[in-house]
């Protein structure tokens, strides 16, 4: 289990990016984080990854404190960040160079097959499209078989068709390996398609505002009434989270009112 206990972050310039974030994430859960600009979504992800240390509070994975990058936690950024002097297969296998060659090749071959890039194993990153490069980045993050995979808006620079395709690839990989997935997105449809739970954050300073279950069968039908219901709940929570006149303590009553009106 991943546990965040009263996590806060204040930068050197005095900006308070996060305040009092307490959260439990179960093994194998898919968690989406949404919210307006400046609500600390990426800061929270970087803290969980160990890239940034929180100013207050603790982050633990299965009881082990996370204060620096950890082998059990992988991260995928908005840009693929592939090494241009390595082939696709070499990029994917970069993080498991310590394994025996046969095991390394087995894992790389398997994950490239999962993301549909078996025929690109020997090509250079410059020969890939944007969507293919991001699939390589996804494969590279998953080949060490992390317990937790963090995704910081990894599809935002892609066209709608490629974005949908990559969502499907990530879900297929998740179904096979069942890591905990935590991803930041500005796309509410994407959050509802992928997540078991959607966290809405409130800005300045960033803090949790509402926790919404997305308990829908997979694969999810974007045209269904159930999908639309969850989407409308998220949109309503986002709207309220940006209203400074709304007290965070009132969120439960308002969430119930918002949910009721969409039936």
């Amino acid at each position: 289990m991943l546990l965040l206990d009263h996590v806060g972050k204040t930068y050197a310039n005095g900006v308070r990016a996060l305040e009092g974030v307490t959260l439990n994430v179960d093994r194998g859960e898919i968690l989406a984080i949404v919210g307006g600009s400046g609500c600390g979504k990426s800061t929270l992800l970087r803290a969980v990854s160990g890239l940034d240390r929180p100013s207050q509070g603790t982050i633990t994975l299965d009881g082990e404190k996370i204060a620096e990058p950890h082998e059990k936690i992988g991260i995928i950024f908005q840009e693929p960040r592939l090494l241009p002097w390595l082939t696709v297969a070499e990029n994917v296998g970069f993080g498991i160079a310590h394994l025996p060659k046969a095991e390394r090749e087995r894992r790389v071959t398997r994950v490239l097959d999962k993301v549909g890039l078996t025929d690109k194993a020997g090509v250079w990153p410059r020969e890939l499209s944007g969507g293919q490069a991001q699939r390589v980045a996804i494969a590279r993050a998953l080949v060490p078989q992390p317990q937790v995979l963090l995704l910081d808006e990894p599809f935002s620079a892609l066209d709608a068709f490629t974005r949908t395709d990559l969502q499907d690839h990530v879900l297929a990989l998740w179904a096979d390996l069942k890591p905990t997935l935590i991803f930041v997105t500005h796309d509410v449809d994407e959050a509802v398609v992928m997540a078991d739970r959607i966290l809405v954050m409130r800005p300045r300073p960033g803090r949790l505002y509402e926790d919404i279950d997305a308990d829908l069968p997979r694969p999810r039908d974007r045209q269904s009434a159930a999908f639309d219901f969850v989407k409308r709940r998220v949109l309503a929570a986002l709207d309220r989270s940006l209203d400074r006149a709304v007290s965070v303590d009132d969120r439960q009553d308002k969430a119930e009112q918002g949910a009721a009106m969409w039936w």
Side-chain angles (χ1 to χ4, degrees):
M1 174 182 286
L2 181 68
L3 173 62
L4 285 69
D5 185 16
H6 293 90
V7 171
K9 177 68 177 180
T10 303
Y11 287 107
N13 61 4
V15 172
R16 183 72 168 162
L18 290 174
E19 182 173 301
V21 177
T22 295
L23 178 66
N24 293 341
V25 189
D26 292 332
R27 182 76 181 267
E29 186 176 12
I30 304 180
L31 184 72
I33 303 174
V34 300
S37 296
C39 70
K41 301 184 297 297
S42 293
T43 299
L44 181 61
L45 218 61
R46 289 180 64 85
V48 173
S49 73
L51 293 172
D52 282 347
R53 289 192 179 188
S55 306
Q56 296 84 32
T58 58
I59 300 170
T60 57
L61 177 62
D62 296 335
E64 182 180 355
K65 185 175 180 179
I66 303 299
E68 59 187 17
H70 197 286
E71 63 179 4
K72 293 181 180 180
I73 302 176
I75 187 166
I76 300 171
F77 298 98
Q78 184 174 340
E79 298 297 328
R81 303 186 183 185
L82 303 182
L83 302 176
W85 59 87
L86 299 180
T87 66
V88 164
E90 290 167 342
N91 264 283
V92 172
F94 184 79
I96 54 170
H98 60 286
L99 295 179
K101 181 179 179 181
E103 173 64 11
R104 186 167 67 249
E105 290 179 348
R106 184 190 70 81
R107 287 200 193 186
V108 169
T109 299
R110 183 166 177 263
V111 77
L112 283 177
D113 179 62
K114 287 289 183 180
V115 297
L117 290 176
T118 300
D119 61 332
K120 302 293 184 182
V123 309
W124 303 104
R126 64 177 178 272
E127 301 175 66
L128 303 173
S129 68
Q132 289 171 335
Q134 196 63 296
R135 275 190 273 167
V136 175
I138 293 167
R140 180 180 58 189
L142 281 169
V143 78
Q145 299 177 357
Q147 287 187 24
V148 179
L149 182 61
L150 311 173
L151 302 94
D152 192 0
E153 298 190 69
F155 315 135
S156 61
L158 304 172
D159 63 85
F161 178 81
T162 304
R163 188 179 187 123
T164 300
D165 183 53
L166 280 175
Q167 291 166 4
D168 292 340
H169 278 296
V170 169
L171 287 173
L173 286 164
W174 170 81
D176 184 42
L177 301 171
K178 287 295 174 71
T180 300
L181 292 185
I182 304 176
F183 69 98
V184 166
T185 182
H186 281 98
D187 187 328
V188 174
D189 278 80
E190 182 169 272
V192 181
V193 163
M194 297 185 68
D196 301 310
R197 194 156 49 111
I198 301 166
L199 298 182
V200 178
M201 294 189 68
R202 185 177 175 87
R204 294 179 292 277
R207 55 208 187 275
L208 299 186
Y209 179 72
E210 194 162 333
D211 187 336
I212 298 171
D213 285 330
D215 187 17
L216 303 173
R218 301 181 189 277
R220 294 181 175 172
D221 180 2
R222 295 171 186 255
Q223 307 303 317
S224 70
F227 186 98
D228 190 56
F229 171 70
V230 176
K231 178 180 175 179
R232 288 173 180 269
R233 281 200 66 192
V234 176
L235 289 171
L238 281 169
D239 187 52
R240 292 192 304 274
S241 75
L242 299 174
D243 182 0
R244 288 185 175 273
V246 176
S247 167
V248 177
D249 293 333
D250 294 337
R251 66 187 182 275
Q252 186 61 44
D253 290 341
K254 290 182 178 293
E256 291 173 358
Q257 294 168 12
M261 73 179 183
W262 298 120
W263 279 110

